[in-house]
């Protein structure tokens, strides 16, 4: 899945005005390729990946391998069933 999202993640990192934001959330983050590329490209950003709990170990291992664990976190849930109170407008753009 990360191979499929890497190209799009680079385009999102390059084309969106990230200088105007400090945080982001990726809903359906999978391994975390999009949050990792955004955080690596824009060091001022902090991000959250949201996905099913089963994904968390893979996500956290990948983020840690990129040395971004201090700026990129994971929140477990099912966006079809979970009321996402942490997802407010203060978290900046949402990627889904």
């Amino acid at each position: 899945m990360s191979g499929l999202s890497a190209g799009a993640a680079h385009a999102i990192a390059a084309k969106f005005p990230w200088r105007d934001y400090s945080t982001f959330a990726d809903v359906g983050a999978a391994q975390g390729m999009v949050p990792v590329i955004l955080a690596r490209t824009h060091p001022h950003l902090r991000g959250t990946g949201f996905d099913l709990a089963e994904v968390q170990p893979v996500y956290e291992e990948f983020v840690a391998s990129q040395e971004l664990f201090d700026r990129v976190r994971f929140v477990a849930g099912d966006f079809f069933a979970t009321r996402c109170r942490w997802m407010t407008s203060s978290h900046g753009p949402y990627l889904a």
Side-chain angles (χ1 to χ4, degrees):
M1 189 61 122
S2 290
L4 295 174
S5 62
H10 283 289
I12 292 166
K15 303 287 184 184
F16 191 81
W18 293 107
R19 67 187 167 280
D20 299 336
Y21 298 90
S22 59
T23 60
F24 66 88
D26 181 6
V27 178
Q31 182 183 11
M33 182 61 74
V34 173
V36 162
I37 288 175
L38 291 176
R40 288 176 68 195
T41 305
H42 302 283
H44 72 284
L45 290 176
R46 293 182 149 320
T48 300
F50 179 85
D51 213 316
L52 299 173
E54 296 83 1
V55 176
Q56 188 167 359
V58 174
Y59 179 98
E60 289 180 344
E61 181 180 336
F62 181 61
V63 169
S65 76
Q66 302 297 310
E67 300 181 356
L68 292 169
F69 210 71
D70 60 326
R71 295 191 300 124
V72 179
R73 69 183 186 124
F74 185 87
V75 172
D78 179 344
F79 68 86
F80 290 116
T82 306
R83 180 168 170 85
C84 303
R85 294 173 198 229
W86 61 272
M87 295 177 79
T88 65
S89 61
S90 65
H91 284 284
Y94 301 109
L95 309 170

